[in-house]
Amino acid sequence: MTNASNTTDIFNRRESEARSYCRGISATFTGARGTEMTDAEGNTYIDFLAGCSSLNYGHNDPDMKAALIEHISNDGVAMGLDLHTNAKGAFLEAFEKNILEPRGMDHKVMFTGPTGANAVEAAMKLARKVTGRTNIVAFTNGFHGVTMGALAATGNGYHRNGAAAELSGVTRMPFDGYMGDYDTTQLLEAMLNDASSGMDAPAAIMLETVQGEGGLNAASAEWVKKVADLAHKHGALLIVDDIQAGCGRTGTFFSFEEWGIKPDIITQAKSISGFGLPMGLVLIRPEHDIFGPAEHNGTFRGNTHAFVTGRVAIEKFWSDKSFQDEIAGKSVILTTALQELAEMVPDAYLKGRGMMQGVDVGSGELAEEICGRAFEKGLIIETSGPNDEVVKVLAPLTTPEETFRKGLNILLEAAREVTQKHKIAAE
Amino acid sequence: MTNASNTTDIFNRRESEARSYCRGISATFTGARGTEMTDAEGNTYIDFLAGCSSLNYGHNDPDMKAALIEHISNDGVAMGLDLHTNAKGAFLEAFEKNILEPRGMDHKVMFTGPTGANAVEAAMKLARKVTGRTNIVAFTNGFHGVTMGALAATGNGYHRNGAAAELSGVTRMPFDGYMGDYDTTQLLEAMLNDASSGMDAPAAIMLETVQGEGGLNAASAEWVKKVADLAHKHGALLIVDDIQAGCGRTGTFFSFEEWGIKPDIITQAKSISGFGLPMGLVLIRPEHDIFGPAEHNGTFRGNTHAFVTGRVAIEKFWSDKSFQDEIAGKSVILTTALQELAEMVPDAYLKGRGMMQGVDVGSGELAEEICGRAFEKGLIIETSGPNDEVVKVLAPLTTPEETFRKGLNILLEAAREVTQKHKIAAE
Amino acid sequence: MTNASNTTDIFNRRESEARSYCRGISATFTGARGTEMTDAEGNTYIDFLAGCSSLNYGHNDPDMKAALIEHISNDGVAMGLDLHTNAKGAFLEAFEKNILEPRGMDHKVMFTGPTGANAVEAAMKLARKVTGRTNIVAFTNGFHGVTMGALAATGNGYHRNGAAAELSGVTRMPFDGYMGDYDTTQLLEAMLNDASSGMDAPAAIMLETVQGEGGLNAASAEWVKKVADLAHKHGALLIVDDIQAGCGRTGTFFSFEEWGIKPDIITQAKSISGFGLPMGLVLIRPEHDIFGPAEHNGTFRGNTHAFVTGRVAIEKFWSDKSFQDEIAGKSVILTTALQELAEMVPDAYLKGRGMMQGVDVGSGELAEEICGRAFEKGLIIETSGPNDEVVKVLAPLTTPEETFRKGLNILLEAAREVTQKHKIAAE
Amino acid sequence: MTNASNTTDIFNRRESEARSYCRGISATFTGARGTEMTDAEGNTYIDFLAGCSSLNYGHNDPDMKAALIEHISNDGVAMGLDLHTNAKGAFLEAFEKNILEPRGMDHKVMFTGPTGANAVEAAMKLARKVTGRTNIVAFTNGFHGVTMGALAATGNGYHRNGAAAELSGVTRMPFDGYMGDYDTTQLLEAMLNDASSGMDAPAAIMLETVQGEGGLNAASAEWVKKVADLAHKHGALLIVDDIQAGCGRTGTFFSFEEWGIKPDIITQAKSISGFGLPMGLVLIRPEHDIFGPAEHNGTFRGNTHAFVTGRVAIEKFWSDKSFQDEIAGKSVILTTALQELAEMVPDAYLKGRGMMQGVDVGSGELAEEICGRAFEKGLIIETSGPNDEVVKVLAPLTTPEETFRKGLNILLEAAREVTQKHKIAAE
């Protein structure tokens, strides 16, 4: 490595101002294993950010690592366009056997460009093509990516402004819980039923069951089921964007699988490769699998390294229920710790579901101060929500209990110190 | 690998109809080295598709491979969001030292989502933000990707129809050579100068110097320079989409670098990682580097494996002029062979530039027949152009001369057989 | 007149299928005075449609008629583009003296193309230009016209579909009463306050205080005042589209004038000429009067005949409070009669305000049957609402009490017969 | 009239800054007959602006005037929505008999909102509905109105900027003569034939045969015929926007009628009422007459006063060829005079066709100075073109020869004085 003594100079000198996480989490990282990361100065950190849920199985899982090294050593195909490769075939077989078949899902798999946004763009395009309609219903605080199509469905104003052009084709509806006790599906239903509501007949209703970037807003099963019913009743496809909430994050492989709904289209990315490698896919009910050859295309659809690690991830973690049970156990630990955190801040409250929980502490400043203090103590953790007011825990699902508790303790300590400081200042 | 006996069943059963290349190139590939690929039955193929120019340095380059295995073995960071990593720092330093500085370029580097389309989306958004204008001038037969923003700039009707929604914000102008002898910059200039032309003042003019998907249309230096001048005269940024034509494909690292122009924004993807791994970036003149933190973001901006191989590629091939000389030599061989091919078909003619050349054989059927016959003989090669009428050679730039000549001979043989067959049929 | 014996042949032969009212109200009309119309066969009808509220002062008001004949006889200018004419000057002076000054309004008057849709388009464009924002908040069941800009703000799905293209730039919010007891301004406020709601900062909030075409939904004063406050707090203009509800229809000249709000922009059309002649205008707070010369233009901005009759209308009806008192009296009569109607139909209920009231009878079929029966009995009356389920009375405000009661009695009789028939059929 | 002493105060005080013509032509007009207008101070002017071609038959034609006064005196219907009225029936019969039938046209007549822009919006919507396509090809320097749909097709940048929002759904192509000797239909054809040109399959190609606002650019018969052929070959409708060039302005009732083409849709407005009253209509080939009832609607579709005068205009001027002959004669006079004008200015040249001719004097300043000087001498005349560089004569077609020559002489005198002044200044 040529990069040595003064590692951040080059970033300041040559990397675009668009860089972001590195501003708060300012170390230069050189290694990572499981839930831990190491920086250039030899410090180690517990990682509760986990690549924004791209590392549900932790960094450099030894089995995936071994398989990947073997693949590369043997001159396995690295880039395969959308050609048949043994790596892709094996991934598909593992995915079919361990994921789709046990859940009674007949979906076809479309490998899109290897980003979540690209999967979302493909899903939106496909829904429009299937229905011959343009409008897509998306929800307040939804986050679906920043390319022009995906961005139209994304709620975040900062990112929307980045478009500097008109974002169209989407109707925004209030998410579950957005209007207090009012059941927001009622408004959705009223507008769908009303020929003069101004909501054009939708091609799809697209939702995250837990809004990761939007602040860990978790929809209830009932709400999602009502939305699913409304979609089908009105000839719209149901798209579940499971990019952040899927791959076990909420406790099961799909975030919705215990609710008895059958989305027409599901988007996946982030943890689907298991190893943090770029990969995106769209699951499609067979009757909607109507794109022509390459109608939605992209060079990196065949990132075979990701197929290799993705296959191992599926086989290792999803061939039986044990991993699911493990996640359930850790989720309880997480809830307990976060309740403790919430009690430190007046009006703070828990949000989220499974291993995708956090605490709304009421202000972005406070949340960022807590995360900043935690980083000083060796914990990588981030905020989310419209005003960054939610301290969000996205630990690898594979985090050993001891490390998990250690990380949570750092978080609690950091929160205690910060809130204490404010209390003293206020007195 | 679980995938064994009957390898294509799983693709038919579970992969979406959107798959494409695998329909013509029907083998299941299991290995690849340099310019050669191997299939599950042990057959080897010469690869003149090269991941659509994502594999300019061939498959599994031994130096990149070694560096990558070392990185993985040492538990180097695989997924780094946009955090500082030693791998990213080293890539940036190599890129600065070997690419930017020698060419007097002060551009900042923005790592976008790891697809070309994402780089294009970022470039378009940035140009709009910089200028406060919406309109982007793009050209006939341009191909920039299929997400909604990028697709608006893409000419291809098949892909545009896939949007099933309105694509806006782009004015289309005829590319160099589109109107015979008429200099198409004259129309561009007239419309830019005319307040009632209906062309809104553009945020950017975006072009490929050689249109890869569009049929290997190569713009002349003069034409590109005139367009660059018009852009700057009219307060528009010049975006060169160098995704397919860059990384040495036309003979130099950037496809335009010998013409004395200085694009405001340059997009790169495909071969930038050197190894075929997903990676995209945007080069931005410092005064235009005005995105806020994460204003354009994406989970996989920090594909560190790609940084590792990308660094090696830069250092190995671009630290002196030798590789450039090698490409120049092979380009001559290519031109000679393709001239021979062109003579076999009435009215056929050469297109393209450097190692990005092909032959327009007048019909998509004929071109596909030639490529199909070549595949039977062990050569992977594809068509391009609005009607797939161009037989396109995109061999790895590192192809050994012997292999290169062997591949070209297969192509010529295939063409000879096909044209002979048609001649006999016609008699 | 060449049109004689068989008057409807020509319409069937040559008029487009887009024609509409004439399908239900099938007479060929030859004359009209006050609240009465006469057809080619000498039948007279009481007109409770009044040109959809374009004839608030009845047909052929004798004073306007005299002024218009005098103007034409004297070769007064008929078409004046946007040149100064004495007719325009006189209209403006009368409008300033009798309308704007007494209400403390400092608005400038912009004469747009002579349709309501054109006034709405100008209002939307101006709000966008003033604020540099694109998004306009409009409401469920709002109706603002069918040109592409206005149509984007219109709720009606039938008309929206007519666009056959994307309608963009508008966010739809639930109107007052759309969600039962839930105060819909709370959702509006939540989304305006939430940077990730997906509602882009609006250029304007545009509303009708009583939605004429939308089914006579009358907003409460409190609701409108809250919306006005939210608009100003969030840097958005408040546009009141008073095209159907203005000119005395709800009891005062402007439909909102007793509520203490000061819209930034007000659109007027329909009855503004007094005589049913095409005319549209936009009232603009002086600080927002920033269109350049002819930036929004149109040939027929200077329909001087309309200025002549419009001036008489203003001077005759709005120089003191007497007309307003008269309307108040008639509104009571109307309420009483419609309550009687509502009692005939289970679950039917009164809607609207002032002389813009109707009865929601629960189904479009029933409402149309009642109106059809009324027409047979000599009363012209129409439905409105998303499913045409509201029997809507839009009688001229000048209707003599005797005629008014006569018309209402016909309506009640028609309703009685229709409901009686259904009751018998059901038994 | 209350408007007396100081007539322009009220305009300055209360009329929006959007007013335009009145800035240069600053008189307050009080009367008008034939080709002459009178102002408040008793001055008379010759009117070569003619309501921008809305007054092809002059001001207050005595026969139309008589018919209109009779209609009003008899309490004829003034506002008829889209109900059947005897006035509408008589107009349709006269239009059928004198216009459609003699020209073998089977078009249906759709009365749109009474503005040209509204007719254009209806035409564009209908073409999109008929074809299921969105894209409409329009031309450089085309002017079709300023509502959002029409504005998307309008070339003028000043008006387009007024939108302050995205205008989409239109592809712009170079008009006849825009590229010197290059036949611009070749580019259109190439792009229509090329599946990757980026021009989506068009719903319609829309053109003016003479671009009035765009600078009197007259398309040749051959060019229009080629465009018509291309439209039909590619499944697109041909829309001729004959709003300014129709009603005899170019010598025949329709501007294209001698060329053997049959547009699918024709828009008319401006002079169609004969008297300068607001009226717009769309002519539609029967097979395309597929709007549902009121799918495109508007309150003032039934401006019966306009039907009355429009009928008289049709019967008086178009029942035989005499008026056409008269126009032909005057066109020669016009050409001769304008050639004289063109000779006064270096590089100036004649533009236009029939009674729609002008001189491009090379600069907007000069053109405006000439028109300003003419106004001082009692001639109302305006400029057009992207930079207002064309002195445009739009005299009423009925102008008596003597008045016509008098007006032209004033124009020549004004031009002489202005050019003389500049020559002296330059020396």
Side-chain angles (χ1 to χ4, degrees), chain B residues 134 139-142 154-158 160-161 166-169 171-174 178-179 182 187 190-191 194-200 385-387, chain D residues 134 139-142 154-158 160-161 166-169 171-174 178-179 182 187 190-191 194-200 385-387:
Chain B
T134 300
F139 292 92
T140 49
N141 295 296
T154 291
N156 187 290
Y158 178 64
R160 291 175 66 85
N161 281 339
E166 222 168 288
L167 298 168
S168 61
T171 300
R172 187 79 37 189
M173 294 298 298
Y178 199 77
M179 299 166 72
Y182 181 91
L187 177 60
M191 290 185 74
D194 175 357
S196 288
S197 68
M199 175 191 281
D200 297 320
N387 303 304
Chain D
T134 300
F139 292 92
T140 50
N141 295 296
T154 291
N156 187 290
Y158 179 64
R160 290 175 67 85
N161 281 338
E166 223 168 288
L167 298 168
S168 60
T171 299
R172 186 80 37 189
M173 294 299 296
Y178 199 75
M179 299 166 73
Y182 181 91
L187 177 60
M191 291 185 73
D194 175 357
S196 289
S197 67
M199 176 192 279
D200 297 321
N387 304 302

Side-chain angles (χ1 to χ4, degrees), chain D residues 299-368:
Chain D
T299 298
F300 295 120
R301 284 164 294 169
N303 179 14
T304 7
H305 290 188
F307 294 145
V308 169
T309 55
R311 174 188 56 79
V312 175
I314 295 297
E315 291 174 347
K316 177 171 179 179
F317 295 103
W318 300 102
S319 55
D320 63 30
K321 294 261 174 189
S322 55
F323 186 54
Q324 202 165 307
D325 295 343
E326 199 185 315
I327 303 171
K330 281 175 201 162
S331 299
V332 174
I333 296 171
L334 178 57
T335 302
T336 310
L338 292 181
Q339 272 165 339
E340 197 175 329
L341 196 164
E343 279 159 22
M344 294 178 201
V345 184
D347 300 322
Y349 59 101
L350 239 76
K351 300 185 77 175
R353 186 155 71 91
M355 282 292 276
M356 193 175 181
Q357 295 186 67
V359 177
D360 183 326
V361 296
S363 97
E365 290 68 31
L366 182 57
E368 277 164 11

Side-chain angles (χ1 to χ4, degrees), chain C residues 11 13-18, chain D residues 91-92 95-96 100 106-111 279-284 289:
Chain C
F11 303 112
R13 200 163 65 237
R14 283 292 184 179
E15 197 174 359
S16 158
E17 294 302 317
Chain D
F91 172 83
L92 278 171
F95 194 76
E96 179 183 58
L100 297 177
D106 56 1
H107 293 68
K108 302 291 276 304
V109 182
M110 177 178 168
F111 297 106
M279 180 170 169
L281 60 78
V282 171
L283 300 176
I284 305 163
D289 182 29

Side-chain angles (χ1 to χ4, degrees), chain A residues 3 6-15, chain B residues 84 93 96:
Chain A
N3 185 281
N6 201 332
T7 48
T8 57
D9 269 17
I10 182 67
F11 302 112
N12 294 334
R13 198 161 67 237
R14 283 292 183 179
E15 197 175 0
Chain B
H84 296 158
E93 290 188 340
E96 180 183 56

